[in-house]
Amino acid sequence: AILFFVKPLIIYTDGSCLGNPGPGGWGAIIKDGKKETVLSGGEDGTTNNRMEMLAILEALLWVREHDKEREIQVYSDSSIVINTLKDDWKRKTNGDIWAKLDEARDGLTIEWNWVKGHAGSPLNERCDQLAVAEAEKIQKTSSKEAPKSAKTTSHDKGIFVCVACGTASVGLLGYMESSDMIRVDCPHCG
């Protein structure tokens, strides 16, 4: 019998946030020998930790769609995320993404690796550049939508002025589990 050694898929990921919370981005590079797949994206009003997790989640979703039988080596500079996935550390926030990560990694053979960030690892540096670029793109988009001079203010009667539409209202309070913060949603423009 002839045995063939199939190299594992190598995945590098990183997340970035301009403010915490703030506009964030994530990047992932999936290496299959010399072939490379680059993924990236971002969100507004997020945290660095969510972006670190989202980078891994999106990479694993790609693997599930394209090559779920292969062994995988994941590299991230987030020790919190790697240790939580590897050593089952307690999960305090971001329950929605943890649930999706658990589902995405179910049945996959994954080796979790921490890599020191900003230490000269070429793929880690590239993922960081992708994540920062996405966060900056989100920041530019959100700054166009809401002028920098506009601020959300509260008055003595609990009235808020929306930065997006300028309408004053009582607002709708909502809890953001991912960042453990309270937000005020405008009933006029959302």
Side-chain angles (χ1 to χ4, degrees), residues 136-170:
E136 289 172 344
K137 196 184 316 179
I138 297 292
Q139 185 179 47
K140 286 178 185 173
T141 302
S142 62
S143 66
K144 286 179 184 174
E145 293 171 2
K148 289 186 178 183
S149 60
K151 294 183 180 177
T152 302
T153 58
S154 71
H155 303 278
D156 57 273
K157 304 244 185 215
I159 302 295
F160 297 90
V161 178
C162 177
V163 293
C165 71
T167 304
S169 68
V170 293

PDB file of all heavy atoms in Angstrom, residues 136-170:
ATOM      1  N   GLU A 136     -10.539  50.454   9.325  1.00  0.00           N
ATOM      2  CA  GLU A 136     -10.463  51.809   8.790  1.00  0.00           C
ATOM      3  C   GLU A 136     -11.551  52.066   7.757  1.00  0.00           C
ATOM      4  O   GLU A 136     -12.121  53.154   7.695  1.00  0.00           O
ATOM      5  CB  GLU A 136      -9.071  52.062   8.189  1.00  0.00           C
ATOM      6  CG  GLU A 136      -7.996  52.172   9.243  1.00  0.00           C
ATOM      7  CD  GLU A 136      -6.587  52.237   8.674  1.00  0.00           C
ATOM      8  OE1 GLU A 136      -6.376  51.901   7.477  1.00  0.00           O
ATOM      9  OE2 GLU A 136      -5.666  52.608   9.446  1.00  0.00           O
ATOM     10  N   LYS A 137     -11.870  51.045   6.960  1.00  0.00           N
ATOM     11  CA  LYS A 137     -12.949  51.160   5.972  1.00  0.00           C
ATOM     12  C   LYS A 137     -14.291  51.391   6.681  1.00  0.00           C
ATOM     13  O   LYS A 137     -15.071  52.249   6.281  1.00  0.00           O
ATOM     14  CB  LYS A 137     -13.012  49.881   5.131  1.00  0.00           C
ATOM     15  CG  LYS A 137     -13.805  50.016   3.868  1.00  0.00           C
ATOM     16  CD  LYS A 137     -13.956  48.712   3.081  1.00  0.00           C
ATOM     17  CE  LYS A 137     -12.722  47.887   2.936  1.00  0.00           C
ATOM     18  NZ  LYS A 137     -12.945  46.629   2.195  1.00  0.00           N
ATOM     19  N   ILE A 138     -14.535  50.631   7.742  1.00  0.00           N
ATOM     20  CA  ILE A 138     -15.770  50.789   8.530  1.00  0.00           C
ATOM     21  C   ILE A 138     -15.792  52.175   9.169  1.00  0.00           C
ATOM     22  O   ILE A 138     -16.820  52.856   9.178  1.00  0.00           O
ATOM     23  CB  ILE A 138     -15.884  49.689   9.613  1.00  0.00           C
ATOM     24  CG1 ILE A 138     -15.975  48.305   8.981  1.00  0.00           C
ATOM     25  CG2 ILE A 138     -17.054  49.951  10.553  1.00  0.00           C
ATOM     26  CD1 ILE A 138     -17.238  48.018   8.214  1.00  0.00           C
ATOM     27  N   GLN A 139     -14.659  52.615   9.701  1.00  0.00           N
ATOM     28  CA  GLN A 139     -14.582  53.929  10.343  1.00  0.00           C
ATOM     29  C   GLN A 139     -14.915  55.042   9.354  1.00  0.00           C
ATOM     30  O   GLN A 139     -15.662  55.961   9.675  1.00  0.00           O
ATOM     31  CB  GLN A 139     -13.196  54.139  10.939  1.00  0.00           C
ATOM     32  CG  GLN A 139     -13.074  55.434  11.722  1.00  0.00           C
ATOM     33  CD  GLN A 139     -11.687  55.604  12.320  1.00  0.00           C
ATOM     34  OE1 GLN A 139     -10.683  55.415  11.629  1.00  0.00           O
ATOM     35  NE2 GLN A 139     -11.641  55.926  13.599  1.00  0.00           N
ATOM     36  N   LYS A 140     -14.385  54.960   8.140  1.00  0.00           N
ATOM     37  CA  LYS A 140     -14.662  55.973   7.115  1.00  0.00           C
ATOM     38  C   LYS A 140     -16.142  55.974   6.741  1.00  0.00           C
ATOM     39  O   LYS A 140     -16.745  57.026   6.589  1.00  0.00           O
ATOM     40  CB  LYS A 140     -13.814  55.728   5.873  1.00  0.00           C
ATOM     41  CG  LYS A 140     -12.373  56.100   6.053  1.00  0.00           C
ATOM     42  CD  LYS A 140     -11.562  55.798   4.813  1.00  0.00           C
ATOM     43  CE  LYS A 140     -10.089  56.061   5.068  1.00  0.00           C
ATOM     44  NZ  LYS A 140      -9.254  55.632   3.946  1.00  0.00           N
ATOM     45  N   THR A 141     -16.721  54.792   6.609  1.00  0.00           N
ATOM     46  CA  THR A 141     -18.140  54.680   6.259  1.00  0.00           C
ATOM     47  C   THR A 141     -19.012  55.262   7.359  1.00  0.00           C
ATOM     48  O   THR A 141     -19.929  56.022   7.090  1.00  0.00           O
ATOM     49  CB  THR A 141     -18.525  53.202   6.032  1.00  0.00           C
ATOM     50  OG1 THR A 141     -17.697  52.672   5.011  1.00  0.00           O
ATOM     51  CG2 THR A 141     -19.971  53.073   5.625  1.00  0.00           C
ATOM     52  N   SER A 142     -18.713  54.925   8.619  1.00  0.00           N
ATOM     53  CA  SER A 142     -19.552  55.410   9.721  1.00  0.00           C
ATOM     54  C   SER A 142     -19.347  56.898   9.958  1.00  0.00           C
ATOM     55  O   SER A 142     -20.265  57.590  10.372  1.00  0.00           O
ATOM     56  CB  SER A 142     -19.304  54.612  11.003  1.00  0.00           C
ATOM     57  OG  SER A 142     -17.979  54.760  11.435  1.00  0.00           O
ATOM     58  N   SER A 143     -18.147  57.430   9.675  1.00  0.00           N
ATOM     59  CA  SER A 143     -17.936  58.867   9.872  1.00  0.00           C
ATOM     60  C   SER A 143     -18.649  59.674   8.793  1.00  0.00           C
ATOM     61  O   SER A 143     -19.027  60.811   9.020  1.00  0.00           O
ATOM     62  CB  SER A 143     -16.443  59.203   9.897  1.00  0.00           C
ATOM     63  OG  SER A 143     -15.853  58.971   8.636  1.00  0.00           O
ATOM     64  N   LYS A 144     -18.882  59.089   7.621  1.00  0.00           N
ATOM     65  CA  LYS A 144     -19.647  59.775   6.570  1.00  0.00           C
ATOM     66  C   LYS A 144     -21.118  59.841   6.940  1.00  0.00           C
ATOM     67  O   LYS A 144     -21.807  60.782   6.618  1.00  0.00           O
ATOM     68  CB  LYS A 144     -19.490  59.050   5.229  1.00  0.00           C
ATOM     69  CG  LYS A 144     -18.144  59.252   4.595  1.00  0.00           C
ATOM     70  CD  LYS A 144     -18.053  58.498   3.299  1.00  0.00           C
ATOM     71  CE  LYS A 144     -16.662  58.605   2.700  1.00  0.00           C
ATOM     72  NZ  LYS A 144     -16.511  57.768   1.509  1.00  0.00           N
ATOM     73  N   GLU A 145     -21.587  58.792   7.613  1.00  0.00           N
ATOM     74  CA  GLU A 145     -23.006  58.724   7.970  1.00  0.00           C
ATOM     75  C   GLU A 145     -23.349  59.646   9.130  1.00  0.00           C
ATOM     76  O   GLU A 145     -24.445  60.168   9.193  1.00  0.00           O
ATOM     77  CB  GLU A 145     -23.384  57.278   8.330  1.00  0.00           C
ATOM     78  CG  GLU A 145     -23.308  56.344   7.144  1.00  0.00           C
ATOM     79  CD  GLU A 145     -23.463  54.892   7.532  1.00  0.00           C
ATOM     80  OE1 GLU A 145     -23.668  54.596   8.722  1.00  0.00           O
ATOM     81  OE2 GLU A 145     -23.368  54.051   6.634  1.00  0.00           O
ATOM     82  N   ALA A 146     -22.436  59.836  10.065  1.00  0.00           N
ATOM     83  CA  ALA A 146     -22.704  60.680  11.226  1.00  0.00           C
ATOM     84  C   ALA A 146     -21.601  61.724  11.338  1.00  0.00           C
ATOM     85  O   ALA A 146     -20.450  61.373  11.530  1.00  0.00           O
ATOM     86  CB  ALA A 146     -22.747  59.842  12.499  1.00  0.00           C
ATOM     87  N   PRO A 147     -21.932  62.981  11.195  1.00  0.00           N
ATOM     88  CA  PRO A 147     -20.914  64.012  11.291  1.00  0.00           C
ATOM     89  C   PRO A 147     -20.224  63.982  12.646  1.00  0.00           C
ATOM     90  O   PRO A 147     -20.842  63.700  13.663  1.00  0.00           O
ATOM     91  CB  PRO A 147     -21.698  65.321  11.117  1.00  0.00           C
ATOM     92  CG  PRO A 147     -23.083  64.960  10.761  1.00  0.00           C
ATOM     93  CD  PRO A 147     -23.265  63.499  10.994  1.00  0.00           C
ATOM     94  N   LYS A 148     -18.922  64.287  12.654  1.00  0.00           N
ATOM     95  CA  LYS A 148     -18.152  64.226  13.895  1.00  0.00           C
ATOM     96  C   LYS A 148     -18.639  65.234  14.922  1.00  0.00           C
ATOM     97  O   LYS A 148     -18.496  65.029  16.105  1.00  0.00           O
ATOM     98  CB  LYS A 148     -16.671  64.451  13.603  1.00  0.00           C
ATOM     99  CG  LYS A 148     -16.045  63.290  12.891  1.00  0.00           C
ATOM    100  CD  LYS A 148     -14.574  63.460  12.732  1.00  0.00           C
ATOM    101  CE  LYS A 148     -14.001  62.237  12.041  1.00  0.00           C
ATOM    102  NZ  LYS A 148     -12.573  62.286  11.903  1.00  0.00           N
ATOM    103  N   SER A 149     -19.243  66.334  14.484  1.00  0.00           N
ATOM    104  CA  SER A 149     -19.702  67.342  15.437  1.00  0.00           C
ATOM    105  C   SER A 149     -20.968  66.902  16.171  1.00  0.00           C
ATOM    106  O   SER A 149     -21.269  67.402  17.231  1.00  0.00           O
ATOM    107  CB  SER A 149     -19.950  68.672  14.715  1.00  0.00           C
ATOM    108  OG  SER A 149     -20.947  68.490  13.723  1.00  0.00           O
ATOM    109  N   ALA A 150     -21.707  65.950  15.593  1.00  0.00           N
ATOM    110  CA  ALA A 150     -22.939  65.493  16.224  1.00  0.00           C
ATOM    111  C   ALA A 150     -22.606  64.513  17.347  1.00  0.00           C
ATOM    112  O   ALA A 150     -21.752  63.658  17.213  1.00  0.00           O
ATOM    113  CB  ALA A 150     -23.837  64.804  15.201  1.00  0.00           C
ATOM    114  N   LYS A 151     -23.298  64.664  18.460  1.00  0.00           N
ATOM    115  CA  LYS A 151     -23.098  63.764  19.593  1.00  0.00           C
ATOM    116  C   LYS A 151     -24.456  63.355  20.125  1.00  0.00           C
ATOM    117  O   LYS A 151     -25.421  64.102  20.038  1.00  0.00           O
ATOM    118  CB  LYS A 151     -22.294  64.456  20.700  1.00  0.00           C
ATOM    119  CG  LYS A 151     -20.881  64.775  20.292  1.00  0.00           C
ATOM    120  CD  LYS A 151     -20.123  65.382  21.440  1.00  0.00           C
ATOM    121  CE  LYS A 151     -18.703  65.688  20.988  1.00  0.00           C
ATOM    122  NZ  LYS A 151     -17.928  66.327  22.004  1.00  0.00           N
ATOM    123  N   THR A 152     -24.504  62.164  20.702  1.00  0.00           N
ATOM    124  CA  THR A 152     -25.727  61.745  21.366  1.00  0.00           C
ATOM    125  C   THR A 152     -25.728  62.386  22.746  1.00  0.00           C
ATOM    126  O   THR A 152     -24.764  62.258  23.490  1.00  0.00           O
ATOM    127  CB  THR A 152     -25.780  60.216  21.496  1.00  0.00           C
ATOM    128  OG1 THR A 152     -25.696  59.650  20.190  1.00  0.00           O
ATOM    129  CG2 THR A 152     -27.063  59.779  22.147  1.00  0.00           C
ATOM    130  N   THR A 153     -26.795  63.092  23.059  1.00  0.00           N
ATOM    131  CA  THR A 153     -26.863  63.751  24.358  1.00  0.00           C
ATOM    132  C   THR A 153     -28.133  63.334  25.070  1.00  0.00           C
ATOM    133  O   THR A 153     -29.132  62.998  24.453  1.00  0.00           O
ATOM    134  CB  THR A 153     -26.856  65.285  24.201  1.00  0.00           C
ATOM    135  OG1 THR A 153     -27.956  65.660  23.379  1.00  0.00           O
ATOM    136  CG2 THR A 153     -25.572  65.763  23.570  1.00  0.00           C
ATOM    137  N   SER A 154     -28.071  63.352  26.378  1.00  0.00           N
ATOM    138  CA  SER A 154     -29.283  63.080  27.141  1.00  0.00           C
ATOM    139  C   SER A 154     -29.660  64.365  27.879  1.00  0.00           C
ATOM    140  O   SER A 154     -28.806  65.156  28.248  1.00  0.00           O
ATOM    141  CB  SER A 154     -29.062  61.932  28.129  1.00  0.00           C
ATOM    142  OG  SER A 154     -28.232  62.340  29.171  1.00  0.00           O
ATOM    143  N   HIS A 155     -30.927  64.560  28.029  1.00  0.00           N
ATOM    144  CA  HIS A 155     -31.437  65.741  28.718  1.00  0.00           C
ATOM    145  C   HIS A 155     -32.039  65.305  30.040  1.00  0.00           C
ATOM    146  O   HIS A 155     -32.207  64.122  30.299  1.00  0.00           O
ATOM    147  CB  HIS A 155     -32.485  66.443  27.838  1.00  0.00           C
ATOM    148  CG  HIS A 155     -31.926  66.815  26.493  1.00  0.00           C
ATOM    149  ND1 HIS A 155     -31.185  67.931  26.289  1.00  0.00           N
ATOM    150  CD2 HIS A 155     -31.993  66.188  25.290  1.00  0.00           C
ATOM    151  CE1 HIS A 155     -30.821  68.001  25.018  1.00  0.00           C
ATOM    152  NE2 HIS A 155     -31.297  66.951  24.396  1.00  0.00           N
ATOM    153  N   ASP A 156     -32.401  66.260  30.885  1.00  0.00           N
ATOM    154  CA  ASP A 156     -32.917  65.922  32.205  1.00  0.00           C
ATOM    155  C   ASP A 156     -34.189  65.083  32.153  1.00  0.00           C
ATOM    156  O   ASP A 156     -34.510  64.388  33.085  1.00  0.00           O
ATOM    157  CB  ASP A 156     -33.139  67.197  33.045  1.00  0.00           C
ATOM    158  CG  ASP A 156     -34.069  68.183  32.377  1.00  0.00           C
ATOM    159  OD1 ASP A 156     -33.607  68.987  31.596  1.00  0.00           O
ATOM    160  OD2 ASP A 156     -35.251  68.145  32.625  1.00  0.00           O
ATOM    161  N   LYS A 157     -34.907  65.095  31.041  1.00  0.00           N
ATOM    162  CA  LYS A 157     -36.140  64.300  30.933  1.00  0.00           C
ATOM    163  C   LYS A 157     -35.899  62.966  30.217  1.00  0.00           C
ATOM    164  O   LYS A 157     -36.849  62.289  29.864  1.00  0.00           O
ATOM    165  CB  LYS A 157     -37.199  65.104  30.179  1.00  0.00           C
ATOM    166  CG  LYS A 157     -37.479  66.440  30.812  1.00  0.00           C
ATOM    167  CD  LYS A 157     -38.875  66.516  31.288  1.00  0.00           C
ATOM    168  CE  LYS A 157     -39.094  67.927  31.787  1.00  0.00           C
ATOM    169  NZ  LYS A 157     -39.905  68.102  32.862  1.00  0.00           N
ATOM    170  N   GLY A 158     -34.616  62.601  29.962  1.00  0.00           N
ATOM    171  CA  GLY A 158     -34.327  61.329  29.300  1.00  0.00           C
ATOM    172  C   GLY A 158     -34.535  61.377  27.800  1.00  0.00           C
ATOM    173  O   GLY A 158     -34.768  60.358  27.176  1.00  0.00           O
ATOM    174  N   ILE A 159     -34.460  62.536  27.203  1.00  0.00           N
ATOM    175  CA  ILE A 159     -34.609  62.679  25.754  1.00  0.00           C
ATOM    176  C   ILE A 159     -33.224  62.590  25.121  1.00  0.00           C
ATOM    177  O   ILE A 159     -32.257  63.157  25.613  1.00  0.00           O
ATOM    178  CB  ILE A 159     -35.258  64.034  25.382  1.00  0.00           C
ATOM    179  CG1 ILE A 159     -36.623  64.182  26.059  1.00  0.00           C
ATOM    180  CG2 ILE A 159     -35.369  64.188  23.880  1.00  0.00           C
ATOM    181  CD1 ILE A 159     -37.661  63.186  25.591  1.00  0.00           C
ATOM    182  N   PHE A 160     -33.113  61.861  24.018  1.00  0.00           N
ATOM    183  CA  PHE A 160     -31.855  61.687  23.317  1.00  0.00           C
ATOM    184  C   PHE A 160     -31.962  62.269  21.916  1.00  0.00           C
ATOM    185  O   PHE A 160     -33.022  62.216  21.302  1.00  0.00           O
ATOM    186  CB  PHE A 160     -31.506  60.195  23.229  1.00  0.00           C
ATOM    187  CG  PHE A 160     -31.291  59.575  24.576  1.00  0.00           C
ATOM    188  CD1 PHE A 160     -32.343  59.008  25.265  1.00  0.00           C
ATOM    189  CD2 PHE A 160     -30.044  59.574  25.159  1.00  0.00           C
ATOM    190  CE1 PHE A 160     -32.160  58.451  26.517  1.00  0.00           C
ATOM    191  CE2 PHE A 160     -29.843  59.010  26.395  1.00  0.00           C
ATOM    192  CZ  PHE A 160     -30.893  58.449  27.085  1.00  0.00           C
ATOM    193  N   VAL A 161     -30.860  62.792  21.413  1.00  0.00           N
ATOM    194  CA  VAL A 161     -30.800  63.301  20.054  1.00  0.00           C
ATOM    195  C   VAL A 161     -29.976  62.311  19.239  1.00  0.00           C
ATOM    196  O   VAL A 161     -28.816  62.037  19.556  1.00  0.00           O
ATOM    197  CB  VAL A 161     -30.165  64.711  19.998  1.00  0.00           C
ATOM    198  CG1 VAL A 161     -30.067  65.194  18.569  1.00  0.00           C
ATOM    199  CG2 VAL A 161     -30.963  65.691  20.848  1.00  0.00           C
ATOM    200  N   CYS A 162     -30.564  61.759  18.194  1.00  0.00           N
ATOM    201  CA  CYS A 162     -29.911  60.760  17.353  1.00  0.00           C
ATOM    202  C   CYS A 162     -28.829  61.425  16.507  1.00  0.00           C
ATOM    203  O   CYS A 162     -29.080  62.439  15.866  1.00  0.00           O
ATOM    204  CB  CYS A 162     -30.941  60.074  16.467  1.00  0.00           C
ATOM    205  SG  CYS A 162     -30.216  58.886  15.317  1.00  0.00           S
ATOM    206  N   VAL A 163     -27.635  60.829  16.478  1.00  0.00           N
ATOM    207  CA  VAL A 163     -26.549  61.378  15.677  1.00  0.00           C
ATOM    208  C   VAL A 163     -26.788  61.182  14.184  1.00  0.00           C
ATOM    209  O   VAL A 163     -26.267  61.921  13.369  1.00  0.00           O
ATOM    210  CB  VAL A 163     -25.174  60.777  16.061  1.00  0.00           C
ATOM    211  CG1 VAL A 163     -24.765  61.195  17.442  1.00  0.00           C
ATOM    212  CG2 VAL A 163     -25.165  59.280  15.911  1.00  0.00           C
ATOM    213  N   ALA A 164     -27.570  60.187  13.808  1.00  0.00           N
ATOM    214  CA  ALA A 164     -27.789  59.898  12.390  1.00  0.00           C
ATOM    215  C   ALA A 164     -28.875  60.763  11.770  1.00  0.00           C
ATOM    216  O   ALA A 164     -28.691  61.356  10.717  1.00  0.00           O
ATOM    217  CB  ALA A 164     -28.134  58.425  12.202  1.00  0.00           C
ATOM    218  N   CYS A 165     -30.028  60.883  12.446  1.00  0.00           N
ATOM    219  CA  CYS A 165     -31.138  61.614  11.829  1.00  0.00           C
ATOM    220  C   CYS A 165     -31.461  62.926  12.525  1.00  0.00           C
ATOM    221  O   CYS A 165     -32.248  63.723  12.018  1.00  0.00           O
ATOM    222  CB  CYS A 165     -32.390  60.737  11.753  1.00  0.00           C
ATOM    223  SG  CYS A 165     -33.191  60.420  13.343  1.00  0.00           S
ATOM    224  N   GLY A 166     -30.873  63.169  13.703  1.00  0.00           N
ATOM    225  CA  GLY A 166     -31.083  64.431  14.412  1.00  0.00           C
ATOM    226  C   GLY A 166     -32.407  64.535  15.142  1.00  0.00           C
ATOM    227  O   GLY A 166     -32.734  65.569  15.713  1.00  0.00           O
ATOM    228  N   THR A 167     -33.194  63.461  15.166  1.00  0.00           N
ATOM    229  CA  THR A 167     -34.496  63.478  15.816  1.00  0.00           C
ATOM    230  C   THR A 167     -34.340  63.267  17.319  1.00  0.00           C
ATOM    231  O   THR A 167     -33.587  62.407  17.767  1.00  0.00           O
ATOM    232  CB  THR A 167     -35.395  62.358  15.239  1.00  0.00           C
ATOM    233  OG1 THR A 167     -35.476  62.529  13.834  1.00  0.00           O
ATOM    234  CG2 THR A 167     -36.774  62.389  15.852  1.00  0.00           C
ATOM    235  N   ALA A 168     -35.058  64.056  18.101  1.00  0.00           N
ATOM    236  CA  ALA A 168     -35.058  63.909  19.555  1.00  0.00           C
ATOM    237  C   ALA A 168     -36.190  62.964  19.952  1.00  0.00           C
ATOM    238  O   ALA A 168     -37.311  63.069  19.449  1.00  0.00           O
ATOM    239  CB  ALA A 168     -35.236  65.254  20.231  1.00  0.00           C
ATOM    240  N   SER A 169     -35.888  62.019  20.819  1.00  0.00           N
ATOM    241  CA  SER A 169     -36.904  61.074  21.291  1.00  0.00           C
ATOM    242  C   SER A 169     -36.423  60.468  22.603  1.00  0.00           C
ATOM    243  O   SER A 169     -35.299  60.696  23.032  1.00  0.00           O
ATOM    244  CB  SER A 169     -37.148  59.977  20.256  1.00  0.00           C
ATOM    245  OG  SER A 169     -36.011  59.162  20.147  1.00  0.00           O
ATOM    246  N   VAL A 170     -37.290  59.665  23.210  1.00  0.00           N
ATOM    247  CA  VAL A 170     -36.890  58.980  24.431  1.00  0.00           C
ATOM    248  C   VAL A 170     -35.920  57.850  24.126  1.00  0.00           C
ATOM    249  O   VAL A 170     -35.166  57.425  24.982  1.00  0.00           O
ATOM    250  CB  VAL A 170     -38.107  58.433  25.220  1.00  0.00           C
ATOM    251  CG1 VAL A 170     -38.932  59.564  25.767  1.00  0.00           C
ATOM    252  CG2 VAL A 170     -38.933  57.505  24.378  1.00  0.00           C
TER     253      VAL A 170
END
